Amino acid sequence: MKKVSLVIVGAGGRGGVYAKYAEAFPEDAEVVAVCEPRPQWRERMARAHKLPPERCFADWRDLLKHPRLADAAVIATVEDLHHEIAVALAGLNYHLLLEKPMARTEEECREIYEAARANNILLAVCHVLRYTDWFTKLKGMIDSGLIGQVRHIAATELVG
């Protein structure tokens, strides 16, 4: 399998999780650029992935000024930006992994879909929590037998 190169657009919590995958499995994925307005988050990712300054963008629109830098873009920004970023990056033929929600309205979702289809790119919408610290710790506790035999789990994520 070919190693996938990634641009992380939104280097906070969710974007950081995808970037950590590349750290854990360097034979599968490599972060080659980051777009993040908050300097401390952008710089943290740049250090972790040894990104040169010309591959670190405070504004995602600056990425559009360059030829395609990666195979795919992970869009993990605040949801209000998903539509504009996804449509623009689809137009540059980036495959897209888009955090949920896909967009604010059904019309914006359809526009993202149409941009992906028109440019013949892959589009995935994700909301994966299984590798977060709290679920990993809980899984470890279950596997160790620390809390006994688990017969049922009910989980609620209270977001917002």
Side-chain angles (χ1 to χ4, degrees):
M1 183 169 99
K2 176 187 176 266
K3 181 191 293 195
V4 176
S5 57
L6 301 171
V7 173
I8 305 292
V9 184
R14 297 272 187 227
V17 168
Y18 294 107
K20 285 184 182 185
Y21 179 89
E23 290 175 39
F25 300 97
E27 66 280 2
D28 293 337
E30 175 184 22
V31 175
V32 298
V34 62
C35 303
E36 171 58 54
R38 298 167 297 177
Q40 68 276 18
W41 291 90
R42 184 175 62 249
E43 292 162 9
R44 180 182 301 153
M45 188 163 292
R47 281 191 306 276
H49 297 276
K50 299 176 178 60
L51 302 176
E54 63 272 13
R55 294 289 182 102
C56 301
F57 306 100
D59 188 321
W60 67 269
R61 290 170 196 86
D62 291 334
L63 177 64
L64 303 178
K65 299 173 187 173
H66 298 269
R68 186 171 161 227
L69 299 177
D71 300 315
V74 173
I75 302 173
T77 62
V78 295
E79 63 191 59
D80 290 353
L81 298 176
H82 287 186
H83 170 258
E84 186 178 8
I85 296 170
V87 170
L89 294 181
L92 293 176
N93 294 311
Y94 282 93
H95 297 290
L96 302 175
L97 188 153
L98 181 58
E99 264 297 318
K100 75 130 184 116
M102 188 173 171
R104 295 174 293 188
T105 67
E106 181 179 344
E107 181 181 344
E108 287 181 348
C109 291
R110 289 184 187 281
E111 288 174 8
I112 293 169
Y113 168 78
E114 290 301 333
R117 190 168 173 202
N119 291 287
N120 197 32
I121 59 157
L122 298 173
L123 169 64
V125 180
C126 297
H127 182 63
V128 178
L129 295 175
R130 75 176 61 176
Y131 300 110
T132 58
D133 292 339
W134 60 89
F135 281 124
T136 301
K137 183 170 178 110
L138 179 59
K139 174 81 165 89
M141 291 168 64
I142 292 168
D143 289 348
S144 74
L146 177 68
I147 58 176
Q149 183 179 7
V150 176
R151 297 187 187 274
H152 178 80
I153 294 176
T156 302
E157 181 189 4
L158 303 173
V159 177

